[in-house]
Amino acid sequence: MHDSLIVYTFAIFALTTLCILWRPQGINEAIPAISGAILLFIAGIVPLHDIVYIFKIVSGPSITIISTIVMCIVLESIGVFRWAALNVVKRAKGSGIRLFWSIMLLCFLMTVFFNNDGSILITTPIILHIVQIIRIKPQQKLPYLFAGVFIATSASLPIGVSNIANLIGLQMVGLNLVSYTNLAFVPSMIGIATLSLLLYLLFRNEIPRKIPDIQDSISDPTFKNHPLSGVKKTVESMNWPLFRTCIFLVVLIRGSYFILPAYGFSIEWIAITGALLLIGIRWISLKISPVDVLWKAPWYILVFAFGMYVTVYALKNTGVTSYMMSILDGVMTQSLMSASFASGILISVLSNLMNNLPSVMLGTLLITEIGLDTQTLQVAYISMIIGSDIGALLTPLGTLATLLWMFVLKKNGVAITWSAYFRVALMVIPITLVVTLIALNIWLWLIL
């Protein structure tokens, strides 16, 4: 391809990434993503048949994530997350240390049952409210806030459906959710446990030993709503039959992701069905129309993912991936261990430079063209997701979830600088990344 087109593609890619991270005038990240895609299409770098292929790849994962966030909106509106917050406080029983571990458990479960971005939007305001009403010093708030963002983001690793970056390349490497979970679940849980322990050791002196009983404050109607909030509910006004029905349905839908695809059902249609059922049940029980869902659902995710994939695919069409393949080929084909560490570290570095979604997209294109055998290809992909979900946490721009976290904190008047974030992340993330990759290789040795 002509050198001018290569320079043009690099310029569009760099400008698109910069605008997504900077968001001038507060524009939605989907706008620069789709703008870059349109410019690349007009220039003929990504032709129409590639556009159709990319849409087929991106649409399913995007619809799955959107449907999951829709379920979050419905559950929040009936008071489920307020109930979860109250139980976090009850479990603390006046202990700051027990509150620390309870918050990490809450964030883990929110991500596992929904997704990392939705978990950040749900749990961060809850954590902010808790640390505000127990009136602790600013430095004592940090353990709870950092535990929330790190665990909520890394918890998307054990099962593939909790993060769009995890889902985007599953079919391309011959994995489904069951095979992904078989390979990733045990190593990722070891990684999350390592991260949790490191966070506790790092912050053990800042965590208050005693905290006041705050459960009455949590159940107060003035509890500050999070960005997905639509209807204010107190715990006392909870519709318990509706609550149990909705929780049962969420668990059923989550389990169906691993069972029904074997019978020909696609994950996105399972997710859509679950979202529609929750909306319908709420409408019948509480007479709340779906209007709030239509307004608050992040429809832009499909546009964003599609635009970013087109932009990354343009790098492939200009030959950039071929150059990178020539560098990686020797390392990737040596052994499963070398392939896993090369993939995990590569995506960690790329993610912290330009965000994890385009990094995983680019990495997937790379490993599928090197000519790896199926086993090595799948291990390399799992390692990339480890780098995307854990290694990317080294800087705030590594994941959309951490950028959302910084935004929510700033909106609520909590100032955590990028340098302060990096100092904490540097102490826990590299160690966790290496431990998780080692755990993956040990697990592979045991099961393969």
Side-chain angles (χ1 to χ4, degrees):
M1 185 168 284
H2 199 277
D3 288 348
S4 61
L5 289 179
I6 296 176
V7 172
Y8 177 83
T9 301
F10 262 111
I12 294 297
F13 178 78
L15 187 60
T16 299
T17 304
L18 178 64
C19 288
I20 289 170
L21 299 176
W22 177 34
R23 296 181 66 194
Q25 305 298 318
I27 63 170
N28 187 286
E29 54 265 26
I31 294 176
I34 197 64
S35 299
I38 291 171
L39 291 173
L40 292 166
F41 172 71
I42 292 174
I45 298 172
V46 185
L48 183 60
H49 62 85
D50 283 346
I51 294 289
V52 174
Y53 170 71
I54 291 168
F55 185 79
K56 289 179 180 178
I57 292 175
V58 168
S59 58
S62 300
I63 291 170
T64 301
I65 296 298
I66 292 170
S67 299
T68 303
I69 295 179
V70 165
M71 287 190 271
C72 286
I73 295 171
V74 173
L75 292 178
E76 196 286 330
S77 70
I78 66 174
V80 170
F81 302 132
R82 184 182 304 280
W83 169 85
L86 175 59
N87 277 273
V88 165
V89 175
K90 284 182 176 179
R91 285 182 177 274
K93 298 179 181 178
S95 168
I97 294 175
R98 195 176 286 115
L99 178 63
F100 177 78
W101 290 102
S102 296
I103 283 175
M104 286 201 290
L105 178 61
L106 171 67
C107 294
F108 174 81
L109 293 175
M110 287 293 184
T111 299
V112 167
F113 280 99
F114 302 102
N115 61 64
N116 60 335
D117 297 336
S119 178
I120 290 293
L121 289 173
I122 292 163
T123 59
T124 303
I126 290 174
I127 298 170
L128 283 169
H129 182 70
I130 291 173
V131 298
Q132 177 186 1
I133 61 177
I134 61 178
R135 297 181 180 87
I136 55 179
K137 298 175 182 178
Q139 191 67 19
Q140 292 177 319
K141 297 178 182 179
L142 297 182
Y144 304 107
L145 295 172
F146 275 104
V149 66
F150 285 158
I151 299 303
T153 305
S154 60
S156 62
L157 180 57
I159 58 176
V161 78
S162 297
N163 192 334
I164 190 172
N166 300 13
L167 286 171
I168 209 80
L170 280 182
Q171 291 184 347
M172 295 176 66
V173 299
L175 286 171
N176 55 38
L177 285 180
V178 175
S179 54
Y180 171 96
T181 305
N182 287 339
L183 293 174
F185 185 83
V186 171
S188 63
M189 292 304 294
I190 292 172
I192 292 169
T194 301
L195 179 57
S196 302
L197 180 60
L198 289 172
L199 285 168
Y200 173 71
L201 293 175
L202 179 64
F203 286 118
R204 65 187 182 278
N205 294 327
E206 282 80 24
I207 299 173
R209 294 299 182 266
K210 295 289 185 180
I211 59 172
D213 184 1
I214 57 176
Q215 62 188 49
D216 292 336
S217 300
I218 290 291
S219 61
D220 190 274
T222 61
F223 180 85
K224 190 170 185 179
N225 289 349
H226 61 74
L228 296 180
S229 178
V231 180
K232 289 187 177 181
K233 289 276 184 182
T234 64
V235 174
E236 291 77 5
S237 64
M238 177 75 74
N239 183 326
W240 290 109
L242 177 62
F243 172 91
R244 295 186 186 96
T245 301
C246 290
I247 293 298
F248 171 78
L249 185 59
V250 169
V251 173
L252 182 64
I253 291 297
R254 212 64 172 174
S256 298
Y257 291 151
F258 298 89
I259 300 172
L260 294 184
Y263 298 94
F265 294 90
S266 61
I267 294 174
E268 59 267 29
W269 282 109
I270 299 171
I272 290 171
T273 301
L276 291 176
L277 284 173
L278 281 180
I279 292 171
I281 290 170
R282 186 189 66 166
W283 198 352
I284 293 170
S285 299
L286 301 180
K287 302 299 185 290
I288 299 176
S289 75
V291 173
D292 61 328
V293 173
L294 294 175
W295 280 107
K296 293 171 183 173
W299 307 109
Y300 67 88
I301 285 178
L302 176 57
V303 178
F304 171 69
F306 173 74
M308 284 308 304
Y309 209 114
V310 170
T311 306
V312 170
Y313 209 82
L315 296 176
K316 169 184 176 296
N317 288 352
T318 55
V320 174
T321 55
S322 298
Y323 173 73
M324 296 181 71
M325 281 165 50
S326 65
I327 299 175
L328 290 173
D329 190 23
V331 179
M332 296 289 290
T333 54
Q334 284 182 9
S335 65
L336 283 179
M337 180 175 288
S338 63
S340 66
F341 271 86
S343 301
I345 293 172
L346 172 65
I347 297 304
S348 296
V349 172
L350 291 178
S351 295
N352 285 292
L353 291 175
M354 63 180 189
N355 195 258
N356 64 344
L357 183 58
S359 299
V360 170
M361 292 173 174
L362 180 59
T364 304
L365 292 175
L366 279 172
I367 63 174
T368 51
E369 294 193 1
I370 289 178
L372 301 172
D373 62 88
T374 301
Q375 188 178 86
T376 305
L377 176 64
Q378 293 177 352
V379 169
Y381 184 77
I382 297 294
S383 301
M384 288 198 318
I385 300 304
I386 291 173
S388 166
D389 292 353
I390 292 179
L393 290 170
L394 191 60
T395 66
L397 62 81
T399 73
L400 178 59
T402 45
L403 291 173
L404 285 171
W405 181 73
M406 297 287 281
F407 171 76
V408 173
L409 292 185
K410 184 178 180 181
K411 187 177 179 181
N412 285 271
V414 177
I416 294 181
T417 63
W418 281 43
S419 60
Y421 177 98
F422 180 72
R423 284 196 299 272
V424 173
L426 188 62
M427 298 297 292
V428 298
I429 297 305
I431 297 174
T432 303
L433 175 64
V434 172
V435 168
T436 309
L437 290 173
I438 292 173
L440 173 63
N441 281 275
I442 294 174
W443 178 243
L444 293 173
W445 177 74
L446 291 172
I447 66 172
L448 296 181

